[in-house]
Amino acid sequence: MKKVLVVDDEKLIVKGIKFSLEQDEMQVDCAYDGEEALEKAKANTYDIILLDVMLPGLSGFEVCQAIREFSNVPIIMLTAKGEDMDKILGLEYGADDYITKPFNILEVKARIKAIMRRTAHHDAPAEETPKVVEYRGLKIDCESRRVHVHGKEVNLTAKEFDLLELLVFHPNKVYSREDLLNTVWGYDYPGDARTVDVHIRRLREKIEANPGVPDYVHTKWGVGYYFQG
C-alpha cells in the first residue's frame, strides 16, 4: 500500500484528497501546518507528499527545503495561481511538481500515479543496467539513487536524478525539451517546456563546477540537452 502525506491548512481540501486517495487503496496521513508536516515527514517514510505553499508557521517552501535535507521523497506543491513557476519548481527548494488551485482531484490522482509509476520503474531490477556509473569524477549509484561529484555527495530531487540518469545512460544523444518532458514527467503531464529548463539549471548548479560552462550536461542550442560522453 502506497503511503501519502497531505499537508494543507484547509481541512475540507485535506478531507477531500484523503477520501479520494483512500478509494484507490492508498494510506493517507494528514498535517495542517508546517511544523506538523515536518515532524511527520521525519517520523515516517512516504511515497509522495502533497504540500500546500501557504501554511501557518513554516511555509510550504520552508518545509520542502527542510525535507530535502534528509529525504528525496517526491513532493508536489499545491499553489495558488500566479505564484512564480521557477520558485515553485524548486529552483531554491527542490519540489518535483506543482498543481494550481482550484484543482480537479482526478488531476491530482493522475500526477501521483505518474510519479509512483516512475518510482516503481526505478525500483525494479534491471540486470542489464549497471548499478553504479562513474565518469570523470561523477559517480551515480542507480540503486540507492545517490550522486557524488569528485567524492562529495550532492542531494538531488527525484526529478533531477531521473533527468541525469536518462542523459548519462544515453551519452551524446540530444533530447529536446519535449522529449525530456514526455520521458521524465510522462505524456500526460500538462506542464510546459520551462519545467525542463528549471530542472536542468538546478541540476547544473549542483553537479557542475561552473554551471555556465558545464562539464557534464550540455546544451545543443535550438535543439535540447545532452550528456557529453
Side-chain angles (χ1 to χ4, degrees):
M1 182 179 286
K2 298 296 185 181
K3 193 170 183 180
V4 182
L5 174 63
V6 179
V7 187
D8 199 309
D9 61 330
E10 296 184 55
K11 294 192 175 183
L12 281 177
I13 289 179
V14 173
K15 184 178 179 181
I17 294 175
K18 176 180 169 67
F19 175 80
S20 185
L21 296 183
E22 286 178 342
Q23 301 309 300
D24 287 356
E25 298 185 344
M26 297 183 196
Q27 182 180 342
V28 181
D29 285 352
C30 304
Y32 303 100
D33 61 53
E35 287 82 0
E36 184 184 10
L38 194 54
E39 287 174 8
K40 290 195 172 183
K42 287 179 178 177
N44 299 277
T45 300
Y46 294 104
D47 294 288
I48 199 163
I49 296 175
L50 300 182
L51 178 60
D52 187 38
V53 171
M54 300 298 293
L55 292 170
L58 293 174
S59 73
F61 289 133
E62 291 171 316
V63 173
C64 184
Q65 189 176 38
I67 290 173
R68 282 290 169 255
E69 293 177 4
F70 61 85
S71 173
N72 284 327
V73 59
I75 297 174
I76 298 178
M77 303 300 290
L78 306 177
T79 174
K81 287 183 178 177
E83 291 184 280
D84 183 63
M85 181 178 171
D86 279 8
K87 191 176 182 183
I88 291 164
L89 286 175
L91 195 58
E92 299 174 66
Y93 300 98
D96 295 283
D97 202 351
Y98 77 101
I99 299 174
T100 54
K101 295 179 178 179
F103 49 73
N104 185 318
I105 190 63
L106 296 177
E107 179 191 2
V108 175
K109 290 165 78 168
R111 299 278 189 97
I112 290 173
K113 288 176 181 177
I115 287 176
M116 287 181 173
R117 278 197 303 271
R118 286 193 297 275
T119 304
H121 168 73
H122 285 294
D123 290 344
E127 295 177 10
E128 301 83 3
T129 304
K131 290 188 172 71
V132 178
V133 178
E134 295 190 55
Y135 184 77
R136 288 191 294 132
L138 179 67
K139 180 181 178 182
I140 304 171
D141 188 327
C142 300
E143 196 166 68
S144 67
R145 293 174 66 81
R146 297 170 71 182
V147 175
H148 292 76
V149 180
H150 299 296
K152 182 180 179 181
E153 184 168 5
V154 293
N155 192 19
L156 301 185
T157 68
K159 287 292 196 315
E160 289 164 358
F161 186 93
D162 291 346
L163 278 170
L164 181 60
E165 184 181 41
L166 177 66
L167 294 172
V168 166
F169 278 100
H170 302 87
N172 301 315
K173 178 178 178 179
V174 180
Y175 286 88
S176 70
R177 290 170 177 81
E178 290 71 23
D179 290 338
L180 293 172
L181 203 61
N182 290 337
T183 304
V184 176
W185 278 263
Y187 287 96
D188 54 355
Y189 180 72
D192 62 34
R194 283 201 305 154
T195 302
V196 175
D197 296 336
V198 169
H199 279 78
I200 290 287
R201 188 158 73 244
R202 181 61 171 162
L203 177 61
R204 282 173 170 162
E205 288 175 359
K206 292 182 178 182
I207 69 170
E208 305 282 5
N210 182 354
V213 187
D215 291 322
Y216 304 117
V217 179
H218 293 259
T219 302
K220 183 79 169 177
W221 293 107
V223 184
Y225 299 103
Y226 68 97
F227 182 86
Q228 185 172 329

